[in-house]
């Protein structure tokens, strides 16, 4: 996959994380729980980690992954 930002070939792999992942409009200092209607709780697992299939661009640092279908390839 070509990077949509810099056009360099991206590396296929997995984004691996701990229990919670959130994408929020503003940085939350204490809780990752969504506070704004546009905030997204990407993943929430109480006792295990999360992993998402995706691509990383080592040139510009962009990571692309599908959070709705974590095991699918983009």
């Amino acid at each position: 996959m070509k990077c949509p930002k810099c056009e360099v070939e991206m590396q296929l792999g997995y984004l691996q994380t701990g229990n919670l992942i959130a994408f929020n409009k503003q940085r939350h200092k204490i809780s990752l729980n969504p506070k704004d209607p546009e905030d997204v709780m990407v993943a929430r697992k109480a006792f295990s980690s999360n992993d998402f299939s995706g691509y990383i661009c080592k040139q510009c640092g962009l990571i692309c992954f599908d959070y709705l279908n974590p095991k699918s390839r983009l």
Side-chain angles (χ1 to χ4, degrees):
M1 176 176 171
K2 295 272 188 198
C3 177
K5 187 175 174 183
C6 71
E7 299 293 319
V8 168
E9 193 64 31
M10 298 179 85
Q11 178 183 326
L12 179 63
Y14 294 90
L15 176 64
Q16 297 181 290
T17 69
N19 305 52
L20 298 174
I21 305 170
F23 189 89
N24 299 320
K25 287 181 71 176
Q26 295 183 10
R27 180 175 278 163
H28 298 182
K29 293 182 180 183
I30 297 173
S31 170
L32 294 180
N33 290 320
K35 293 180 175 77
D36 187 283
E38 293 184 29
D39 290 348
V40 177
M41 180 58 71
V42 176
R44 181 189 310 228
K45 291 185 179 178
F47 301 106
S48 63
S49 61
N50 296 284
D51 62 89
F52 299 88
S53 171
Y55 293 87
I56 186 169
C57 178
K58 292 184 177 180
Q59 181 73 30
C60 70
L62 184 70
I63 296 175
C64 298
F65 66 96
D66 181 351
Y67 73 91
L68 293 177
N69 302 293
K71 303 299 182 207
S72 69
R73 299 287 185 200
L74 295 175

